[in-house]
Amino acid sequence: MLDLLQLTGKQRQFIELLQRQHVVESLRSLCVQAGFDFNFINGFLLSGALNSYVQWQEHTQRTWALTAKGEDLTGVLPGSLLADKLLQGQRDGGASPGGNRALLQAELGAAFSLHYGALRREQAVDLIDGDGEGTVAVLKSSVLGAFQQRQGVFEAIAAGKSLDASASSSLEWLQQQGYIVSRVETDYSLTVLPALQTLDLGDVVTTLTSELILSGQWRQADLKPYDIQAEVPDVAYGRPTILTQCIQRIRDIFLNMGFDEMSGYMVESAFWNFDALFTPQDHPAREVQDTFYLANPQTLPLPDDPVLVQRVKQVHEANYGGQWTEAEASRAILRAHTTTSTARRLHQLQGKDGKYFSIDRVFRNETVDRTHLAEFHQIEGVVVGELLSVRTLMGYLTYFYERLGFKDLKFKPTYNPYTEPSLEVFAYHPPSDRYIEVGNSGLFRQEMLAPLGCGEKATVAWGLGLERIAMLLYGVEKLSDLIGPDIQL
């Protein structure tokens, strides 16, 4: 049963179109001409709403279309051009040098081998050498003619033309070769009954405007009803957190600077977190007061590359003395910095140039205060290349912070086990009226690069605090204001 008040705008337009028709030979053609979506109208027809107003009959039609492989041929089947020239030579009664290999190669160019191979696979031609000249001999003229027919059918399909029964053999061959694919289209012919032609759709108000209310016309209008109990999609609501927005902003900056993104693991072995970074096994940073060690698992396997492990051991013992142990290097920890990702990537690069960054979470057993957290994000960056220097490093960092809007920076020399020289980066923080440290940077030492296979390259790198940058961007007094469910910014 047709409920006029429940009709959508498109459905009403379609009914008005049918009221001007008596017989519709093709519903698909009508939809194309009138700009309707056939699938939408098809669903409306099959819903049964028009059963008392329209008689319809279903028709199916088989059509053909080019596959991606067929489209790659750019309109020419392999074998068709050579078949044309050989048949032309036969029609000329042998007077034409159509079978001369040299002339055919000159005419077809680089495509000769492709066309000859296609005909040779169907044993239609062969190559005969005689009198110092090669000849392409025709073995089966019928196959050459079939190639011409296939080319004609192929062109017709590409142009969307209809085909007759004589094309069946060519269609079968083209489908076997994967050049075309068949499709079955459903269409309908309609007969419009008088009940629809005399149907008065009337005017239905779908939007209650202030004019209708103030004038009182809403009392006489037919209002479209709405089912307020109908099921609606469960749409997630909310917005990205400030840190998420900050991460995406920084990611865009590095991508625009030509960097590739890398990632790592939250749970790492001490080998990648410390040993591969030329940090001695008795360094204070490896104490439980600074690093989170895991109880389960307590250890992780060392890298599969025994040469890498041996090189790291040798460089530690040569520079720091004492015995380097695999037991200490195997201890499982929550990564203390994202430089573990850099160490892994340098080992993969083996001296190749590159620019990489990551924005990942790190963990340190620190006392939580206004500018420190035990869990935070670090922005890692590394550039591997030739003739890199402190000036290069400061240039990258200055440009990065300028893109964020910070121009008041200071660089201070510092010490890191794996970089020399090393620089701390400070930025002015207006709420506290002082400079706060926002990152650490430097040039990787050769003692670190050589075991990783990058000893011949210069490398600049940095680790920046995401939360510290967010404090500067949003004028936050303490880091705890940026996390948790009750952010008041």
Side-chain angles (χ1 to χ4, degrees):
M1 183 63 182
L2 187 62
D3 187 349
L4 298 182
L5 294 179
Q6 293 291 351
L7 292 177
T8 67
K10 284 291 184 182
Q11 290 171 341
R12 295 175 69 88
Q13 293 174 17
F14 179 69
I15 291 176
E16 292 172 353
L17 176 63
L18 288 183
Q19 288 179 322
R20 301 192 295 270
Q21 313 288 328
H22 293 283
V23 176
V24 177
E25 297 293 341
S26 170
L27 181 61
R28 281 188 178 273
S29 299
L30 180 65
C31 289
V32 172
Q33 295 170 6
F36 288 104
D37 180 8
F38 173 78
N39 292 326
F40 174 78
I41 299 301
N42 182 39
F44 181 39
L45 182 66
L46 297 181
S47 69
L50 297 178
N51 284 352
S52 301
Y53 303 94
V54 173
Q55 292 179 345
W56 52 274
Q57 186 173 2
E58 181 179 325
H59 307 282
T60 58
Q61 180 181 6
R62 191 180 189 186
T63 61
W64 298 89
L66 299 186
T67 63
K69 182 180 178 181
E71 292 177 349
D72 289 341
L73 298 179
T74 63
V76 180
L77 290 175
S80 60
L81 294 182
L82 182 57
D84 286 343
K85 294 190 176 297
L86 292 175
L87 289 175
Q88 181 64 41
Q90 287 186 337
R91 287 192 292 269
D92 292 343
S96 171
N100 185 283
R101 176 183 177 181
L103 292 177
L104 289 172
Q105 285 181 322
E107 293 180 20
L108 297 180
F112 173 82
S113 298
L114 175 67
H115 289 280
Y116 174 78
L119 298 180
R120 184 69 181 85
R121 280 193 296 273
E122 298 199 22
Q123 300 179 352
V125 297
D126 198 3
L127 191 60
I128 300 175
D129 292 325
D131 300 330
E133 290 188 353
T135 302
V136 178
V138 177
L139 303 182
K140 297 179 181 179
S141 298
S142 60
V143 177
L144 300 185
F147 267 88
Q148 286 187 319
Q149 295 174 0
R150 295 164 184 169
Q151 177 63 32
V153 172
F154 185 72
E155 292 176 354
I157 293 173
K161 298 179 180 178
S162 58
L163 302 170
D164 53 31
S166 63
S168 59
S169 61
S170 296
L171 290 172
E172 182 180 358
W173 183 88
L174 289 170
Q175 190 174 21
Q176 289 175 350
Q177 301 300 313
Y179 296 141
I180 62 173
V181 63
S182 64
R183 296 174 180 170
V184 177
E185 286 188 346
T186 302
D187 201 355
Y188 302 91
S189 59
L190 308 179
T191 300
V192 181
L193 301 179
L196 183 66
Q197 294 175 334
T198 58
L199 181 66
D200 183 10
L201 293 177
D203 295 325
V204 177
V205 176
T206 59
T207 303
L208 191 60
T209 64
S210 59
E211 289 80 3
L212 286 172
I213 297 174
L214 294 174
S215 65
Q217 294 179 2
W218 63 272
R219 294 186 177 89
Q220 290 77 37
D222 289 329
L223 302 176
K224 180 178 179 179
Y226 292 93
D227 184 5
I228 62 174
Q229 303 297 331
E231 295 291 334
V232 297
D234 185 14
V235 179
Y237 58 90
R239 57 169 293 172
T241 65
I242 286 181
L243 287 182
T244 301
Q245 296 178 56
C246 193
I247 288 173
Q248 188 56 51
R249 182 174 176 183
I250 292 172
R251 177 180 285 118
D252 291 341
I253 291 175
F254 278 113
L255 292 175
N256 289 329
M257 290 171 65
F259 282 70
D260 295 319
E261 190 167 8
M262 59 182 177
S263 61
Y265 308 98
M266 288 188 182
V267 176
E268 274 284 13
S269 65
F271 178 88
W272 287 112
N273 196 91
F274 294 117
D275 298 272
L277 301 180
F278 196 57
T279 303
Q281 292 193 335
D282 60 353
H283 195 277
R286 301 176 75 141
E287 298 295 332
V288 293
Q289 289 83 4
D290 292 310
T291 301
F292 290 110
Y293 287 86
L294 301 186
N296 184 21
Q298 291 186 351
T299 61
L300 291 174
L302 295 179
D304 294 332
D305 186 356
V307 176
L308 170 63
V309 177
Q310 186 62 28
R311 287 176 177 173
V312 170
K313 176 181 179 180
Q314 291 174 352
V315 75
H316 273 255
E317 293 181 347
N319 289 273
Y320 295 128
Q323 184 179 3
W324 182 88
T325 66
E326 292 187 1
E328 178 64 25
S330 301
R331 297 180 68 181
I333 67 172
L334 293 177
R335 65 181 174 202
H337 45 208
T338 52
T339 316
T340 57
S341 303
T342 298
R344 288 180 178 272
R345 183 52 56 96
L346 290 175
H347 183 240
Q348 293 175 359
L349 291 176
Q350 289 295 303
K352 296 180 182 178
D353 293 351
K355 298 193 298 185
Y356 300 90
F357 81 98
S358 68
I359 309 172
D360 284 322
R361 191 170 299 180
V362 296
F363 310 85
R364 294 182 187 175
N365 192 8
E366 295 187 359
T367 301
V368 177
D369 59 21
R370 188 175 61 85
T371 59
H372 292 84
L373 296 173
E375 177 182 341
F376 55 98
H377 293 81
Q378 186 171 331
I379 305 162
E380 183 78 6
V382 60
V383 180
V384 184
E386 302 286 348
L387 302 178
L388 302 179
S389 64
V390 173
R391 183 181 296 272
T392 309
L393 174 64
M394 296 174 65
Y396 274 113
L397 292 176
T398 301
Y399 179 81
F400 167 77
Y401 281 105
E402 284 181 351
R403 292 291 302 273
L404 288 173
F406 307 137
K407 297 183 180 180
D408 198 356
L409 299 177
K410 289 185 178 181
F411 295 89
K412 174 185 174 182
T414 187
Y415 167 78
N416 292 315
Y418 44 92
T419 58
E420 180 62 28
S422 306
L423 296 175
E424 288 180 336
V425 188
F426 291 81
Y428 182 68
H429 183 228
S432 61
D433 192 23
R434 67 185 184 90
Y435 287 85
I436 64 173
E437 181 185 353
V438 292
N440 208 329
S441 63
L443 277 69
F444 282 138
R445 297 172 62 105
Q446 287 298 303
E447 291 87 347
M448 171 193 161
L449 294 174
L452 298 175
C454 301
E456 301 299 322
K457 288 298 176 105
T459 307
V460 297
W462 53 85
L464 313 177
L466 174 72
E467 284 79 1
R468 300 282 183 89
I469 292 177
M471 288 180 67
L472 297 170
L473 284 175
Y474 302 107
V476 177
E477 175 62 26
K478 55 184 183 296
L479 287 180
S480 58
D481 292 338
L482 292 169
I483 60 176
D486 191 23
I487 298 177
Q488 299 298 324
L489 298 182

